[in-house]
């Protein structure tokens, strides 16, 4: 009978457990597989954190771009057509968020979260886990680079330290790496976590703090009475916690439905390809902006990540998606050796129409809370999101305004 049961041992759930334990609560975490295992989004992603990538998915121009990409089977964006009312409702609300005003509001919230999370990670992590060498944002076409250059001053005014790399400066930053691009920007606050090692190390820290970690444990049902969750049925027995936190990533919507809650949440499949020490690889993270592919050096490995596929709770790997990632990388880095047998992976990222997670109590329940919907930037949002959740449950004054993350918010 822990004070708090956190359902989900991904990075969002682990940071909830971390801050709840620091607040004095007894905490149990249940995870349906091994913590940091391949079922986790943090297992195979690129680990990007820092101030780059705070823009929401819903931006002006995205619907038209998405329609064009849907015609290309190797494009970075794909929706599997199917008669799914939940998907249709999500897409409708996503489309309504593709305005300058809505995107600007979401960007400011996400950037604040990413800045606060980066500060937390710098305090918690050693140099072997968090690498902060800056990030290169590359543009292959002159048109894309020109558009990006025009946004630099606005980005700096917003708190994102972007600058245009002068001719020859990229070769100084990345000697021996051949780029076929029109230009690049540089973010000195670009950083990345070594994953999944970061997740397993955080879990070990929690175990040392007295947090109980129940791996390979499925949550089967939530038994509710009135405004309270009375019992949680799991594959390893029943639990009767004081409070339940749903932090189960893409599986959160199905679990919330057991309590009669409807989350505006869709699983967005992402892919990664991991190569062993290829020649011509960059030494710092690189974002191929127009191709929507991220590159992360992980010691003796190089990870390439990309795509956003709305195909339901399906983790099968499409060869065409993998080929699309490799093609994009070869177009930008023609000398990079991609001939080695790659390790491919796919994971489901929980996305809301406005790109903001659900964090806080799930009304009308008195002892049910949410920490899910962190989308494709979960590592960059989870640290401060876990802190906010713990503050709300413990009655502390929160560091962040919780209103943008509340359950039941409107998606106009």
């Amino acid at each position: 009978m822990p004070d708090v049961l956190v359902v989900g041992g991904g990075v969002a759930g682990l940071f909830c457990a971390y801050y709840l334990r620091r607040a004095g609560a007894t905490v149990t975490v249940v995870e349906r597989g091994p913590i940091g295992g391949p079922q986790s989004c943090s297992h195979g992603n690129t680990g990007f954190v820092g101030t780059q990538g705070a823009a929401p998915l819903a931006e002006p121009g995205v619907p038209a771009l998405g329609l064009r990409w849907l015609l290309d089977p190797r494009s970075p964006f794909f929706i599997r057509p199917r008669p799914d009312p939940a998907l249709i409702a999500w897409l409708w609300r996503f489309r309504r968020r593709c305005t300058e005003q809505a995107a600007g509001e979401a960007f400011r919230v996400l950037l604040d979260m990413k800045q606060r999370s980066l500060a937390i990670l710098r305090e918690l992590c050693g140099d072997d886990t968090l690498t902060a060498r800056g990030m290169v944002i590359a543009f292959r076409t002159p048109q894309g680079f020109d558009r990006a250059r025009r946004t630099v001053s606005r980005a700096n005014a917003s708190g994102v330290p972007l600058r245009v790399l002068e001719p020859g400066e990229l070769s100084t930053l990345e000697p021996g790496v051949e780029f076929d691009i029109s230009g690049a920007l540089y973010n000195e606050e670009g950083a990345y976590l070594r994953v999944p090692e970061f997740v397993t190390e955080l879990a070990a820290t929690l175990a040392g703090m007295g947090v109980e970690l129940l791996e390979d444990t499925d949550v089967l049902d939530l038994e509710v009475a009135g405004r309270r969750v009375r019992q949680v049925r799991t594959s390893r027995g029943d639990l009767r916690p004081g409070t339940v936190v749903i932090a189960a990533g893409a599986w959160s919507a199905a679990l919330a439905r057991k309590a009669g809650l409807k989350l505006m949440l869709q699983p967005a499949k992402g892919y990664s390809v991991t190569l062993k020490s290829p020649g011509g690889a960059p030494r710092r993270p690189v974002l191929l902006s127009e191709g929507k592919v991220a590159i992360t050096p992980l010691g003796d490995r190089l990870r390439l990540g990309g795509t956003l596929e709305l195909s339901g709770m399906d983790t099968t790997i499409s060869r065409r998606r993998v080929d699309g990632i490799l093609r994009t990388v070869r177009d930008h880095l023609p000398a990079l050796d991609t001939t080695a047998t790659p390790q491919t992976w796919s994971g489901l990222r929980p996305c809301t129409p406005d790109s903001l997670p659900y964090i806080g109590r799930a009304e009308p329940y008195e002892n049910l809370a949410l920490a899910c919907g962190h989308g494709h930037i979960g590592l960059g949002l989870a640290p401060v999101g876990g802190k906010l959740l713990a503050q709300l449950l413990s009655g502390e004054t929160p560091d962040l305004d919780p209103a943008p993350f509340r359950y039941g918010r409107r998606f106009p």
Side-chain angles (χ1 to χ4, degrees):
M1 297 180 64
D3 294 331
V4 184
L5 174 68
V6 178
V7 182
V11 67
L14 293 182
F15 268 108
C16 288
Y18 175 78
Y19 280 106
L20 286 164
R21 184 71 188 110
R22 284 185 53 174
T26 58
V27 183
T28 295
V29 176
V30 296
E31 168 59 31
R32 64 189 188 90
I35 290 179
Q39 83 288 346
S40 168
C41 274
S42 304
H43 177 84
N45 69 20
T46 51
F48 279 15
V49 294
T51 55
Q52 191 62 36
L57 292 175
E59 291 188 288
V62 167
L65 185 61
L67 288 174
R68 186 166 72 248
W69 272 340
L70 285 175
L71 301 176
D72 183 353
R74 294 179 297 180
S75 72
F77 179 64
F78 175 71
I79 301 175
R80 178 183 295 169
R82 59 193 189 277
D84 184 344
L87 173 62
I88 294 170
W90 189 95
L91 289 172
W92 173 255
R93 287 159 177 80
F94 178 86
R95 174 64 182 85
R96 296 290 297 271
R97 298 290 303 182
C98 292
T99 66
E100 290 284 355
Q101 179 179 346
E105 292 171 353
F107 169 78
R108 287 187 287 274
V109 174
L110 292 171
L111 178 59
D112 186 29
M113 291 187 74
K114 295 196 83 178
Q115 289 170 330
R116 292 172 184 267
S117 289
L118 182 59
I120 291 170
L121 291 170
R122 283 173 170 160
E123 291 181 1
L124 289 179
C125 300
D127 293 339
D128 57 336
T129 303
L130 175 67
T131 302
R133 297 175 181 163
M135 180 180 296
V136 173
I137 304 99
F139 300 86
R140 192 152 192 264
T141 68
Q143 298 89 342
F145 183 46
D146 287 341
R147 285 194 298 268
R149 282 195 297 189
R150 291 195 291 269
T151 68
V152 168
S153 59
R154 185 173 60 185
N156 287 327
S158 300
V160 181
L162 280 181
R163 64 181 179 86
V164 177
L165 290 178
E166 299 298 328
E169 193 175 0
L170 181 57
S171 60
T172 301
L173 288 172
E174 292 291 345
V177 180
E178 180 184 341
F179 287 90
D180 184 7
I181 59 176
S182 295
L185 307 180
Y186 183 71
N187 183 337
E188 64 183 23
E189 288 183 347
Y192 64 95
L193 292 163
R194 189 179 180 90
V195 290
E197 292 84 354
F198 169 74
V199 178
T200 55
E201 290 169 7
L202 179 57
T205 297
L206 292 175
M209 295 168 63
V211 173
E212 182 181 24
L213 304 173
L214 300 180
E215 300 178 90
D216 300 306
T217 303
D218 289 316
V219 173
L220 306 176
D221 202 2
L222 302 178
E223 296 184 8
V224 302
R227 297 176 59 192
R228 295 188 64 81
V229 176
R230 298 295 185 184
Q231 186 167 262
V232 179
R233 293 184 55 232
T234 81
S235 57
R236 295 177 60 177
D238 297 340
L239 300 170
R240 297 187 179 184
T243 298
V244 178
V245 177
I246 297 178
W251 287 263
S252 297
L255 182 57
R257 282 197 296 271
K258 295 180 183 298
L261 302 179
K262 183 179 179 181
L263 301 185
M264 193 59 61
L265 202 65
Q266 279 292 311
K269 187 194 299 186
Y271 291 80
S272 73
V273 179
T274 304
L275 306 169
K276 280 192 175 181
S277 302
R283 298 183 300 176
R284 53 178 44 78
V286 177
L287 178 61
L288 309 180
S289 183
E290 293 152 303
K292 307 300 181 185
V293 171
I295 301 175
T296 306
L298 298 172
D300 61 348
R301 301 168 293 157
L302 186 73
R303 180 161 294 164
L304 321 172
T307 78
L308 190 152
E309 183 177 317
L310 296 175
S311 53
M313 299 296 287
D314 173 20
T315 58
T316 58
I317 294 176
S318 165
R319 186 66 233 180
R320 289 185 297 183
R321 300 290 159 199
V322 172
D323 289 342
I325 292 173
L326 293 174
R327 179 190 62 178
T328 298
V329 172
R330 286 193 295 265
D331 287 345
H332 290 75
L333 298 161
L336 182 67
D337 181 10
T338 59
T339 58
T341 302
Q343 177 186 353
T344 58
W345 172 90
S346 71
L348 302 176
R349 301 164 294 190
C351 293
T352 61
D354 58 5
S355 294
L356 302 180
Y358 289 107
I359 301 174
R361 295 187 182 274
E363 298 180 355
Y365 289 97
E366 298 171 347
N367 68 332
L368 182 61
L370 303 170
C372 54
H374 297 72
H376 66 297
I377 51 176
L379 284 169
L381 304 181
V384 73
K387 185 177 183 180
L388 173 61
L389 190 280
Q391 289 172 331
L392 292 173
L393 293 188
S394 62
E396 296 180 35
T397 301
D399 294 342
L400 291 174
D401 178 6
F405 317 108
R406 70 187 184 279
Y407 171 70
R409 66 184 184 267
R410 292 178 59 84
F411 296 98

